[in-house]
Amino acid sequence: MSYKINEGIIEEKGKVVAPEAVFRLGRFSVLSDGIDTEFVISKRPAQIQFVFELAPIPNFTLHFRDRPLDVEQTNALVKYGYFILDEGRICFVSSRINEFLEAAFGDLSLSKLIKLLRTLFQEGLIIEIPSDLIEQLRTNQQKESHHKKLFVQSLYPYQEAGVNWLSFCAENAVGTILADDMGLGKTAQVIALCCDVLEKNPKSKILIVVPNPLIDNWVREFRFFAPSIIPYLHYGNQRRGVVSAFDNYNVIITPYSTMSSDIAMFEEIYFDLALFDEASMLKNPKSGRSLSARRLEIGVIVAMSGTPVENSLMDAWALSDLVFTGFLGTEKDFKSTYVDSNIADTLNKNLDELENSLRQITLRRMKKDVLKQLPERLDIHTAVSLSEKETIRYDLIIDEMKNDAANGAGGILPLINKLQQFTAHPALLDSSISRDVRTLKANSAKFELLILQLDKIANAKGKVIIFATFHKAIDLIQGAIKERYKVSPGIIDGRTPNEERQPLIDDFSASNGFDVLLLHPKTAGMGFNITAATNVIHYSRQWNPALEEQATARAWRNGQEQVVNVYYMFYANTIEEKIDERLRLKQQLSERVVSVTDDKETDKQIMLAYLETLES
């Protein structure tokens, strides 16, 4: 037999010898430069190392025994599964390595590249993966988001960077987790992403799935950030059960419960982009809502969660597998590799590889990372959607007020008090409602949102002060916090003796981890220094804006060294929304002095003016 080597390939009579035939040769002679040279087939698979480089373009080089293979050796190995060493040896690789070679040197999308790099690293075939792979690729390609025609507000620099990152991922069909810290504006960033997607393709369909209480808030956020985009709300008894209802809309907003119940309808549509707000609601992969989400036909998924890992590493697997199926392996394999029944044993594992993998598809910035870009105080106004049951009860109270107003408004003040109790929680008016957390959430959308927010603060081991008006509401919240978080919040209201108030604040300030103080805005809204809290929740809205300003100043004052999140919760399309608008107006006109009074006549005037708007 007369064999020759041509560009690193074994040939016989001018034809390439099949790799399996080469492997069977054992020892054989090759005519090289007119001289017969003996070659030997190495029977042991060669241990190849992959080296990944980003510049000038993403590419792999191959190494054997710490020496790089040249172009001929690389081409032969990729195409035929062997390469020739100078010392007369021909080395083959295993079928598993051949699969990796085919992937690495084939048509490699970004999602396939990310998955391949992780697999190579896990198998010890690559030493290092860039932790900021996506951002480096985006920068090298000079890719930026195109959202500024539809998005009318300004973003902080870190938010612009976030939108650019999300845009690059979406363009390359890589699902991601947006896990920025609370208050850093995840909603603004994903709305800018929606604008980017629609500017690139105006026919795109976008699905946004949210917790029930946040439906109206999302509509208001679109109105503020991208007013030309009109979302379609799909929820409630009046919703249409046909796909054609979505025909004239690019953005569809629906709650998790409706997505699950109408999944047969939703899976008929292809969505270019899907956003899952408060995606920790999908952390149980076997829940009905998670199974429904996985039935949807989606181009790219973004999961929004300030707490991607709440109780277990399985939370991270569930969200990652939702946005990027298979990236972290199967649930069974992930659990056996990383999760122990004893959390201490889990922490003792080497989690560096997992953390690096998660960073590839997760964008997480903490306040401390972007502190210089932030104001000292973040005001977060959240519109809460009344449930259908709550809407009926609210309308009944409003009807009572209308009747009273028509007869001289002599009884309007007690009715205002009744309305304020209702917006705190229907249980204040209905003693038959059980006080357990599950029931309280089911009967009040605002309370459900409160618990959702407290879950995030508790997970971050933050401290929060909550302002509520009625003693019954304060007690109800305290009981729920005890049940859910095993924490006993201090209470400062009219029932708290003066000598006990400062010690409660001192205990709160000295405590470690998650803690809560429940305060009445009039009793504890002035005079106290509570800078240990970096979160303030106005659960019961004050009809006098100055009261809320002074209450917020308990945490946001001299001595506070961190950014303070101030959450204002109000029911959409109710008197509470009018109150919220008054507060925002006051903040915009800060030169104007608003006196702190307890003027029930002013409350009466506000209410009567509101009732007049309902008649028009």
Side-chain angles (χ1 to χ4, degrees):
M1 296 284 183
S2 178
Y3 296 102
K4 291 181 65 176
I5 297 175
N6 182 20
E7 296 184 349
I9 307 298
I10 304 296
E11 293 184 351
E12 182 186 12
K13 296 180 181 180
K15 293 184 178 180
V16 174
V17 180
E20 55 270 22
V22 174
F23 186 76
R24 291 195 297 266
L25 289 175
R27 289 181 179 272
F28 65 104
S29 295
V30 172
L31 185 64
S32 179
D33 295 327
I35 302 172
D36 277 335
T37 305
E38 189 173 80
F39 278 75
V40 62
I41 304 296
S42 178
K43 297 299 183 180
R44 179 179 295 178
Q47 300 301 307
I48 295 295
Q49 283 287 318
F50 289 70
V51 176
F52 177 70
E53 296 174 346
L54 277 164
I57 60 172
N59 69 91
F60 286 93
T61 56
L62 304 174
H63 287 229
F64 177 67
R65 293 181 178 172
D66 297 325
R67 292 174 57 188
L69 300 186
D70 61 26
V71 174
E72 282 191 358
Q73 290 171 320
T74 299
N75 290 339
L77 180 56
V78 170
K79 194 169 183 180
Y80 295 101
Y82 66 83
F83 60 97
I84 300 172
L85 294 175
D86 293 339
E87 58 264 33
R89 278 201 305 145
I90 299 178
C91 297
F92 281 80
V93 294
S94 67
S95 58
R96 180 75 168 147
I97 296 295
N98 271 323
E99 290 176 10
F100 295 145
L101 291 169
E102 184 179 350
F105 291 88
D107 185 12
L108 203 57
S109 66
L110 180 55
S111 60
K112 288 179 180 178
L113 171 62
I114 294 171
K115 200 177 273 191
L116 174 63
L117 285 171
R118 179 170 192 263
T119 303
L120 292 174
F121 187 83
Q122 285 181 310
E123 301 211 5
L125 297 173
I126 196 168
I127 296 173
E128 188 179 17
I129 304 172
S131 60
D132 57 348
L133 170 66
I134 288 178
E135 181 57 22
Q136 286 193 48
L137 286 172
R138 186 195 70 78
T139 303
N140 290 348
Q141 296 178 26
Q142 299 182 328
K143 291 278 190 174
E144 291 191 354
S145 168
H146 297 83
H147 62 272
K148 295 183 179 177
K149 290 181 182 177
L150 297 174
F151 193 88
V152 300
Q153 302 297 331
S154 298
L155 293 168
Y156 292 113
Y158 74 88
Q159 291 177 322
E160 287 279 4
V163 177
N164 286 336
W165 188 85
L166 291 167
S167 168
F168 186 76
C169 290
E171 194 171 285
N172 287 277
V174 175
T176 58
I177 302 169
L178 179 58
D180 281 348
D181 195 9
M182 292 177 295
L184 292 187
K186 291 186 286 293
T187 303
Q189 292 176 76
V190 296
I191 289 178
L193 173 63
C194 292
C195 294
D196 170 73
V197 169
L198 289 171
E199 285 190 24
K200 291 172 181 172
N201 178 12
K203 294 183 179 179
S204 296
K205 283 281 191 214
I206 299 170
L207 177 67
I208 304 176
V209 187
V210 306
N212 287 56
L214 294 178
I215 298 168
D216 283 287
N217 192 65
W218 270 90
V219 174
R220 281 157 175 75
E221 295 290 80
F222 266 98
R223 192 179 301 152
F224 179 72
F225 290 111
S228 63
I229 300 175
I230 309 299
Y232 178 82
L233 296 186
H234 182 77
Y235 79 109
N237 290 334
Q238 303 305 311
R239 68 184 186 274
R240 294 176 61 193
V242 291
V243 174
S244 59
F246 303 158
D247 285 352
N248 298 321
Y249 297 88
N250 295 108
V251 177
I252 292 91
I253 299 175
T254 193
Y256 283 99
S257 55
T258 305
M259 175 199 70
S260 295
S261 60
D262 292 359
I263 187 60
M265 172 184 169
F266 277 110
E267 64 184 346
E268 292 183 37
I269 309 167
Y270 174 79
F271 293 100
D272 300 272
L273 172 68
L275 308 171
F276 290 94
D277 189 16
E278 302 295 351
S280 59
M281 296 180 72
L282 299 171
K283 65 185 179 183
N284 177 1
K286 295 181 175 61
S287 69
R289 61 172 74 105
S290 290
L291 294 173
S292 295
R294 290 166 185 272
R295 286 173 58 180
L296 296 167
E297 190 178 355
I298 303 167
V300 181
I301 297 176
V302 176
M304 302 164 61
S305 176
T307 53
V309 178
E310 287 188 332
N311 303 309
S312 163
L313 285 178
M314 292 308 301
D315 297 347
W317 179 87
L319 287 190
S320 298
D321 201 63
L322 172 71
V323 303
F324 196 156
T325 304
F327 177 53
L328 296 183
T330 66
E331 181 180 4
K332 181 180 177 182
D333 289 344
F334 182 89
K335 189 177 293 185
S336 65
T337 304
Y338 298 108
V339 182
D340 285 281
S341 56
N342 186 333
I343 191 168
D345 292 334
T346 297
L347 292 174
N348 286 332
K349 289 177 180 285
N350 184 354
L351 299 177
D352 291 346
E353 179 274 326
L354 176 60
E355 290 176 2
N356 186 67
S357 295
L358 285 170
R359 277 198 296 270
Q360 303 293 352
I361 62 166
T362 303
L363 187 62
R364 181 163 179 78
R365 280 82 55 89
M366 306 302 288
K367 288 194 188 72
K368 60 183 175 62
D369 301 326
V370 295
L371 205 55
K372 292 180 181 178
Q373 298 179 25
L374 289 172
E376 296 175 340
R377 163 178 151 183
L378 292 171
D379 288 323
I380 303 161
H381 297 255
T382 305
V384 186
S385 303
L386 285 165
S387 68
E388 292 175 9
K389 189 175 181 180
E390 287 177 290
T391 300
I392 292 169
R393 291 179 176 179
Y394 177 82
D395 288 343
L396 287 173
I397 299 174
I398 292 298
D399 287 342
E400 284 186 75
M401 289 182 160
K402 287 179 180 178
N403 292 334
D404 184 77
N407 293 296
I412 199 73
L413 292 181
L415 287 171
I416 289 174
N417 185 268
K418 182 179 180 180
L419 184 66
Q420 289 172 328
Q421 289 186 71
F422 170 78
T423 56
H425 199 291
L428 273 62
L429 301 175
D430 185 353
S431 59
S432 68
I433 296 175
S434 174
R435 265 46 178 181
D436 64 279
V437 175
R438 187 186 188 94
T439 306
L440 292 172
K441 286 171 60 180
N443 281 274
S444 168
K446 187 193 284 188
F447 193 85
E448 182 182 352
L449 181 61
L450 173 68
I451 295 299
L452 194 66
Q453 192 60 53
L454 288 176
D455 283 348
K456 291 187 281 187
I457 295 171
N459 187 267
K461 296 180 172 56
K463 292 187 178 183
V464 56
I465 53 180
I466 302 173
F467 287 100
T469 300
F470 299 100
H471 291 167
K472 286 183 179 179
I474 290 172
D475 293 343
L476 183 147
I477 295 169
Q478 184 193 48
I481 291 171
K482 284 181 179 178
E483 176 192 335
R484 190 173 183 87
Y485 309 105
K486 313 307 178 191
V487 169
S488 184
I491 292 176
I492 301 178
D493 60 19
R495 300 168 294 180
T496 313
N498 287 335
E499 65 273 14
E500 293 180 12
R501 296 178 182 182
Q502 188 59 48
L504 282 170
I505 294 171
D506 292 342
D507 290 345
F508 174 81
S509 300
S511 65
N512 293 319
F514 175 61
D515 207 350
V516 184
L517 266 182
L518 291 166
L519 308 178
H520 192 289
K522 292 179 182 176
T523 306
M526 292 191 292
F528 292 115
N529 184 330
I530 319 178
T531 53
T534 55
N535 298 279
V536 178
I537 297 177
H538 290 287
Y539 181 76
S540 298
R541 302 308 302 273
Q542 301 307 300
W543 289 29
N544 185 331
L547 280 176
E548 285 193 347
E549 285 290 288
Q550 290 189 341
T552 297
R554 297 316 94 221
W556 186 60
R557 60 191 300 110
N558 288 339
Q560 178 59 265
E561 297 178 353
Q562 300 183 60
V563 174
V564 176
N565 296 324
V566 186
Y567 300 94
Y568 303 91
M569 298 179 178
F570 62 92
Y571 277 115
N573 305 310
T574 70
I575 181 62
E576 282 200 322
E577 184 162 11
K578 298 298 180 185
I579 301 304
D580 187 76
E581 289 171 359
R582 290 178 73 236
L583 175 64
R584 295 205 202 197
L585 179 62
K586 188 267 175 186
Q587 290 171 334
Q588 293 169 5
L589 305 174
S590 56
E591 299 85 6
R592 184 175 177 178
V593 177
V594 180
S595 61
V596 182
T597 63
D598 185 15
D599 189 348
K600 288 297 180 184
E601 189 62 32
T602 300
D603 288 356
K604 178 178 177 178
Q605 291 170 351
I606 293 169
M607 192 70 234
L608 291 175
Y610 170 70
L611 292 173
E612 284 184 13
T613 65
L614 299 180
E615 296 293 339
S616 59

